Amino acid sequence: MSHRYKCILLFGSPGSGKGTQGKILGEIPGFFHLACGDVFRSLDLTSSLGKKFMTHSSKGELVPDELTVEMWQNNMKAQVSLSIFKPAQDLLVLDGIPRTVSQAKALKDHLDVLAVLHLVCPDEAEMVRRMRRRALKENRLDDADEKVIHHRFEVYRKETEPVLSYYPKDIIHNVPAIASPSMVLMSVLDLVAPIQDHHFRNPLTQ
Ligand code: ADP
């Protein structure tokens, strides 16, 4: 089979809760959650790629597309060959990638996108509060500085939001993300449970 992983994309601005929802979904059998930011943060920060990640992320910038896509592909290959991710059974839940239209194009031959869950949180101040709390807890440089946070929102509007127009409208679902994590989870599950159910009844044969 040409490896087009069946996947659900978690989409939304920094602080909208993609990681929180993705981690919970990843605990449900049959979902495999991969957050691009987590993969970057797990790099050896003294390696060449790790250093590049730090340079860009500490300024609130995106890592260049080519490096990001290459790292993502390598990581996916490793997850599959170690049977951590089993594409025939598991639905991939991607969070934080694609973050530019050029990344979406590069991933086109690798992903069969079943749904894009757009976590919508119009209250930017609330997202900033969430990010500052996270910075303290997780020691994240990109969320510690208010100027960097605001730059991340600018980058999101300019480079990431256009990704929404890349996918067909009928697979994009807006999920209100201002509520508590469990309320947001209910909306997320309403959307993904039927998709998983369909996938379970029609597993891929390779
Ligand atoms: P958040 O959860 O706040 O949206 P992430 O943990 O996903 O943030 O990403 C942290 C940083 O990692 C980004 O600001 C960026 O520098 C880098 N990064 C993550 N994913 C990508 C991507 N797909 N393309 C380029 N850079 C990325």
Side-chain angles (χ1 to χ4, degrees):
M1 147 180 144
S2 68
H3 282 292
R4 283 183 80 221
Y5 307 126
K6 289 200 177 289
C7 78
I8 292 169
L9 301 184
L10 290 175
F11 197 89
S13 68
S16 59
K18 304 178 297 286
T20 302
Q21 297 300 322
K23 275 191 200 102
I24 303 172
L25 287 184
E27 292 296 317
I28 301 174
F31 286 116
F32 176 77
H33 169 236
L34 189 109
C36 193
D38 288 347
V39 178
F40 274 130
R41 278 184 290 276
S42 70
L43 291 171
D44 171 359
L45 297 180
T46 63
S47 69
S48 146
L49 184 55
K51 281 186 193 151
K52 283 187 186 125
F53 162 67
M54 279 309 286
T55 308
H56 292 283
S57 68
S58 61
K59 289 191 277 200
E61 300 281 352
L62 297 179
V63 178
D65 290 332
E66 214 173 304
L67 285 179
T68 301
V69 169
E70 193 188 326
M71 182 211 57
W72 179 82
Q73 278 176 314
N74 290 338
N75 195 278
M76 290 305 303
K77 267 189 222 148
Q79 307 275 5
V80 172
S81 53
L82 293 172
S83 291
I84 300 172
F85 168 46
K86 304 181 186 72
Q89 296 152 35
D90 298 337
L91 282 179
L92 178 61
V93 176
L94 275 185
D95 134 23
I97 189 166
R99 249 180 162 110
T100 63
V101 172
S102 141
Q103 290 179 15
K105 288 183 180 160
L107 297 190
K108 183 171 151 279
D109 294 335
H110 304 278
L111 298 180
D112 177 7
V113 181
L114 304 176
V116 179
L117 270 49
H118 176 204
L119 302 184
V120 185
C121 185
D123 183 352
E124 201 167 302
E126 166 59 18
M127 286 187 283
V128 173
R129 273 194 296 277
R130 289 180 185 178
M131 290 164 77
R132 301 211 64 156
R133 270 202 305 270
R134 175 171 74 181
L136 293 176
K137 232 171 77 188
E138 297 177 10
N139 201 13
R140 278 185 57 164
L141 285 181
D142 56 345
D143 289 348
D145 181 319
E146 195 116 355
K147 265 204 246 127
V148 175
I149 295 183
H150 285 292
H151 187 55
R152 294 188 65 204
F153 281 111
E154 266 168 40
V155 171
Y156 174 76
R157 279 190 285 269
K158 220 168 86 196
E159 300 190 43
T160 306
E161 235 168 28
V163 173
L164 280 177
S165 331
Y166 178 80
Y167 293 105
K169 278 203 174 64
D170 59 328
I171 64 164
I172 296 177
H173 306 275
N174 288 330
V175 178
I178 195 76
S180 64
S182 54
M183 289 296 279
V184 179
L185 179 64
M186 286 211 280
S187 314
V188 167
L189 285 177
D190 262 349
L191 291 162
V192 300
I195 299 174
Q196 187 187 46
D197 198 50
H198 182 266
H199 184 68
F200 260 51
R201 288 170 205 276
N202 305 280
L204 297 177
T205 40
Q206 294 193 61

